[in-house]
Amino acid sequence: MTPPILSLALPSVTGRVLSIQSHTVQGYVGNKSAVFPLQLLGYDVDPINSVQFSNHTGYPTFKGQVLNGGQLWDLIEGLEENELLYYTHLLTGYIGSVSFLNTVLKVVDKLRSVNPKLTYVCDPVMGDEGKLYVPQELVSVYREKVVPVASMLTPNQFEAEQLTGLRIQSEGDGREACNILHAAGPTKVVITSISMNGELLLIGSHQKNEGQSPEQFKIAIPKIPAYFTGTGDLTTALLLGWSNKYPEHLDLAAELAVSSLQAVLHRTMNDYKSAGHDPESSSLEIRLIQSQDDIRNPKIKFKAQRYD
C-alpha cells in the first residue's frame, strides 16, 4: 500500500523547502550550510545535492560527482510520480552549468503547477570581489530567465552589479540596484554585502505592492578579520527562514539573520584561536552545530535602519 502523503495530510506549520545546492562530505557549504539551520527553525527540508564533493574547492584537492540536468529531472519525476512534489519554498544556491540552471527553471514551473503560491528564494551565486567563478553565459540566464521567476533574491554586491549592469559605489546605487531587480520580478531583494568605506552594508528592499515604492533599509555589519566558507549559503537560508515567519517585515528577518550569522562567525573565529590557529591564515569552516542556540534564538545585536 502507498503510505499517506504526510506533507499534504500533515502540512508543516512553517513550510516545506526543496533545497537544490552543492554538498560536501566534510565541512559546511551549500546544503550542508543551509539544511540544518532551516530544520532548527522548524522547516521540513528536502535536499537535492547538485554536486557531491569530498570537501569544498578551497582545499588543495577535492573529489566527487556532479549532478547533471537530466539526473535532477529524474529526481523530480520520481517525486511527481508518487505525488510528493508539494513544497512551500524552493531554495537554490551555487549552480555550475547552463544546462543545470535551465532544468532548475523547469523545476520552478513544475513546483508552481502543484503549489501556485510557491516562494522561490534564489541566491544567484556567480562570483565575488570582481571575479566570476561560473561560466560567463550563466549571467544572462540568471538575468533574463531566473530573476523574473524568483520571489526573493540574495545577491552579493558583485552579483547585483552583474544582474543590473549598475556599478554599486554608494548606498544610493545599492537601493537603485534593488529597484531594477524589483522591476524584473522579485518582490524581496537583499544585497547581502556591499563593501563601502571600510565596512560592510546589507541593503534590503521589499516591494509590497506593484507600482509602489519599496520599503528599503540597511544594516551595518562590522568586518571580521578572517575568511569563512559557507556564509552566503547560511545567510540565504536564514533569510528564507525568518522572512517566512515575518512576511511583512523583511527588516526584522534581516536583523535576525545577520545577528545569527555574526554569532556563528565569532564563535568560529574564537574556537580556531583557542586551538592555536591564526584565523587570517586560511579559510575557516564555520562552527554550525556548536551555534544552534544562536540560530534558533538569535539575540538581535544588528539593527536595521530604514530609508525614508
Side-chain angles (χ1 to χ4, degrees):
M1 277 188 52
T2 305
I5 301 163
L6 289 183
S7 59
L8 299 179
L10 294 171
S12 167
V13 176
T14 39
R16 188 170 199 89
V17 183
L18 181 65
S19 180
I20 304 175
Q21 299 196 60
S22 57
H23 169 84
T24 55
V25 176
Q26 203 282 329
Y28 294 96
V29 298
N31 269 332
K32 284 283 290 285
S33 203
V35 174
F36 179 64
L38 283 167
Q39 289 171 330
L40 285 178
L41 294 176
Y43 295 84
D44 282 307
V45 189
D46 294 347
I48 292 179
N49 298 326
S50 55
V51 305
Q52 174 168 267
F53 289 159
S54 53
N55 43 266
H56 72 67
T57 56
Y59 283 89
T61 65
F62 66 94
K63 293 196 171 185
Q65 299 81 36
V66 178
L67 201 71
N68 63 38
Q71 291 164 328
L72 169 60
W73 196 247
D74 278 347
L75 294 171
I76 297 299
E77 286 185 330
L79 292 168
E80 183 180 31
E81 285 166 12
N82 292 294
E83 297 181 33
L84 298 172
L85 264 190
Y86 182 86
Y87 290 96
T88 57
H89 293 77
L90 171 66
L91 172 62
T92 61
Y94 175 79
I95 291 165
S97 72
V98 169
S99 66
F100 197 89
L101 189 53
N102 280 323
T103 307
V104 166
L105 287 161
K106 282 175 63 181
V107 173
V108 176
D109 285 345
K110 179 64 74 178
L111 295 183
R112 285 198 169 136
S113 73
V114 179
N115 175 19
K117 293 181 177 174
L118 175 92
T119 297
Y120 173 25
V121 178
C122 171
D123 183 3
V125 181
M126 296 183 289
D128 201 3
E129 296 179 349
K131 288 201 295 282
L132 274 179
Y133 39 66
V134 297
Q136 176 70 46
E137 55 266 32
L138 252 78
V139 177
S140 58
V141 179
Y142 269 113
R143 189 188 295 142
E144 293 161 21
K145 297 181 180 177
V146 180
V147 172
V149 298
S151 314
M152 179 157 83
L153 209 60
T154 62
N156 61 29
Q157 178 177 1
F158 174 70
E159 290 155 354
E161 290 176 340
Q162 294 294 307
L163 293 173
T164 60
L166 183 70
R167 190 110 163 92
I168 299 173
Q169 296 175 303
S170 68
E171 290 180 42
D173 293 340
R175 296 176 68 189
E176 179 56 28
C178 291
N179 293 338
I180 293 168
L181 292 168
H182 284 314
T187 56
K188 292 178 180 175
V189 177
V190 179
I191 304 178
T192 54
S193 59
I194 297 174
S195 191
M196 205 169 290
N197 304 325
E199 70 169 1
L200 291 176
L201 273 189
L202 173 149
I203 291 184
S205 187
H206 184 189
Q207 186 168 36
K208 293 185 174 178
N209 296 296
E210 204 173 329
Q212 198 176 44
S213 291
E215 293 178 2
Q216 296 185 324
F217 61 90
K218 66 176 176 179
I219 300 177
I221 306 167
K223 278 189 175 175
I224 297 175
Y227 180 76
F228 307 89
T229 52
T231 53
D233 308 317
L234 174 56
T235 301
T236 297
L238 293 170
L239 284 167
L240 184 164
W242 289 114
S243 67
N244 187 53
K245 290 175 188 281
Y246 300 104
E248 295 301 308
H249 302 284
L250 185 60
D251 51 348
L252 173 58
E255 287 175 349
L256 288 157
V258 168
S259 296
S260 264
L261 178 72
Q262 289 295 305
V264 172
L265 300 187
H266 279 287
R267 173 173 280 102
T268 300
M269 190 171 68
N270 291 337
D271 285 359
Y272 272 92
K273 278 181 178 172
S274 66
H277 182 86
D278 176 7
E280 295 186 56
S281 65
S282 63
S283 66
L284 311 181
E285 296 276 13
I286 54 175
R287 300 282 278 169
L288 199 63
I289 307 305
Q290 296 75 9
S291 303
Q292 53 189 289
D293 289 344
D294 298 310
I295 294 166
R296 205 186 270 116
N297 298 301
K299 295 179 180 69
I300 294 180
K301 294 184 176 176
F302 299 87
K303 296 290 290 181
Q305 191 179 334
R306 285 200 176 199
Y307 293 108
D308 294 330

